[in-house]
Amino acid sequence: MRDVGVSGLGVLTPIGVTPDTFWKALADPFPHFAPPTSCPQVGVPVGEILATDLVAESVLPRPSLCDRSALLAVAAARDALDDASLTADDCEPDRVAVIVGSGAAGVATIEEQYDLLYRRRRPRVSPLTVPKMMNSAAASWIATAFGFQGPAFCVSSACASATHAIGIAAGLVASGVVDVAVCGGTESCLAEGPLRAWHALGVLTKDTCRPFSAGRTGLVLAEGAGMLVLESAGHARARGFVPRASVVGSGWSADAGHLTRPSADGMARAMTKALREAALRPDEIDYINAHGTGTPSNDPAEVAALRAVFGAGSVPVMSSTKGTTGHSLGASGGIEAVAALLAMEYGVAPPTANFDGPDPECDLYCVPNVAVEHPMRTVMSNSFAFGGLNASVVFQRI
């Protein structure tokens, strides 16, 4: 894959709602996790966006029609388009794609309406429930907000959703189907029902997320959105714009096995396919933003996969940013793509926060606790999901 530029970045997370504030918090992390404001009785820490400037009133005249996940998506898309200095007037509207990943869209809406129906015994729910809860809503609202009329849809592959969306969007641009694609992921799942469901699964930590470390006890759920504007080289050149980087490869695989137990083989296949599409050798990857959830089972499997692909003694510098951001499920791949791209731009590997000591099963260097200067030309971002769905994407400096 060549000639697919990354022209703009937009990100909203618990640690920052612009690329600049997001990066500063990644490079110098401190805890942001706390009980959810809407349901502290659940008793688990989460990563919640508390900033007030989230909804894109400037482009959505009636934000009340949107679920929170769609609001986050539109706001991140707006920022990415601004970063790319791109408006609908700069494009042919039917040659702009919108591809959004989300693991479980409309969760806040469903929770709100079920509360009315089952707890408060109201006989009816809002007629807006279906439009707000449907998985495709985020893509529809981005297309509507900015007047884009090309392919627009959502991808739902659990925690790999956004990375799949970026790969699909890059393919559409590379093939010439579209000139521009807005892509990434969004998720807002911090309602009581979903949190209790994740707690019942036994994968949530009681205190903080410690990827790859000996004392890791689970993940921290978070909300957020991360969006990229991808653009063909010809389209960028015609408007005199120089993209920030290029998408050079993506790879996907399915474990075809256990729904919740990760497979190192499946992870390795996705990374290998991404390298193959990028026409790169393993030793040409300079940094990897790992999936790194901080659960007892994911991290050793990912370490085994990295060793299989890159060689036991040759794994590139890697780290997990989920110790700082939390795990935003379907949005995580979009947020982590932004993190990997900024790491490449700054020449700094962001740290794996909350690292409390090495685990013999995860004995790779993961930039524990403190960022390190590390010049980079090519970076990889990994997302490995429940259901055995794996995705990797590779970016390169132009």
Side-chain angles (χ1 to χ4, degrees):
M1 184 185 296
R2 288 291 184 270
D3 297 328
V4 180
V6 180
S7 293
L9 306 177
V11 65
L12 287 90
T13 73
I15 65 169
V17 295
T18 67
D20 184 55
T21 57
F22 172 66
W23 174 254
K24 288 177 180 176
L26 276 186
D28 187 18
F30 60 94
H32 282 73
F33 305 140
T37 56
S38 64
C39 51
Q41 69 275 14
V42 177
V44 296
V46 300
E48 190 170 8
I49 299 173
L50 299 177
T52 56
D53 184 24
L54 298 182
V55 295
E57 283 97 342
S58 59
V59 291
L60 283 179
R62 294 186 63 190
S64 61
L65 297 179
C66 295
D67 181 81
R68 183 171 173 83
S69 62
L71 292 176
L72 295 177
V74 172
R78 173 198 58 191
D79 292 347
L81 288 162
D82 287 348
D83 187 45
S85 300
L86 195 68
T87 69
D89 293 337
D90 301 314
C91 317
E92 293 182 41
D94 66 349
R95 291 187 58 80
V96 181
V98 180
I99 317 296
V100 181
S102 185
V107 165
T109 294
I110 294 170
E111 180 87 359
E112 175 187 76
Q113 297 305 313
Y114 279 11
D115 179 73
L116 292 174
L117 188 65
Y118 294 121
R119 284 183 175 169
R120 304 189 192 188
R121 301 296 179 181
R122 301 272 183 92
R124 298 181 60 199
V125 298
S126 167
L128 296 176
T129 301
V130 170
K132 291 175 71 173
M133 68 183 271
M134 62 187 185
N135 250 32
S136 57
S140 294
W141 279 115
I142 291 172
T144 300
F146 302 104
F148 300 143
Q149 298 174 336
F153 54 88
C154 281
V155 177
S156 187
S157 50
C159 305
S161 299
T163 305
H164 276 132
I166 293 167
I168 292 168
L172 290 173
V173 174
S175 68
V177 172
V178 298
D179 300 318
V180 174
V182 180
C183 59
T186 187
E187 203 84 78
S188 183
C189 58
L190 305 183
E192 183 174 357
L195 287 172
R196 290 198 182 278
W198 278 93
H199 186 267
L201 196 57
V203 296
L204 300 186
T205 182
K206 294 180 180 179
D207 49 15
T208 195
C209 180
R210 301 180 180 88
F212 300 112
S213 67
R216 68 187 185 282
T217 55
L219 58 86
V220 172
L221 288 179
E223 62 179 350
M227 293 288 170
L228 312 182
V229 173
L230 306 185
E231 185 174 14
S232 72
H235 193 271
R237 190 164 48 247
R239 65 188 187 95
F241 188 85
V242 178
R244 306 175 75 127
S246 293
V247 185
V248 293
S250 64
W252 314 325
S253 73
D255 296 345
H258 200 280
L259 283 181
T260 59
R261 186 184 305 128
S263 162
D265 289 344
M267 297 174 178
R269 282 196 301 275
M271 288 186 275
T272 298
K273 290 178 179 180
L275 289 170
R276 186 182 303 132
E277 184 172 76
L280 293 170
R281 301 185 311 271
D283 63 2
E284 292 180 282
I285 298 295
D286 299 308
Y287 167 74
I288 298 170
N289 187 293
H291 188 56
T293 61
T295 59
S297 59
N298 174 87
D299 296 1
E302 188 166 6
V303 166
L306 289 167
R307 288 184 180 134
V309 174
F310 295 96
S314 306
V315 176
V317 171
M318 67 92 176
S319 63
S320 169
T321 46
K322 288 186 176 73
T324 308
T325 64
H327 191 353
S328 55
L329 305 177
S332 60
I335 292 167
E336 289 159 17
V338 173
L341 286 158
L342 291 175
M344 184 168 60
E345 287 185 10
Y346 284 99
V348 173
T352 300
N354 311 313
F355 190 85
D356 65 359
D359 180 341
E361 289 190 288
C362 302
D363 59 349
L364 296 179
Y365 176 67
C366 65
V367 195
N369 295 322
V370 179
V372 298
E373 291 188 7
H374 181 64
M376 311 173 200
R377 181 172 182 267
T378 309
V379 298
M380 174 181 282
S381 184
N382 288 334
S383 298
F384 306 130
F386 277 175
L389 308 177
N390 310 298
S392 297
V393 62
V394 179
F395 302 101
Q396 193 167 72
R397 185 186 297 275
I398 292 177

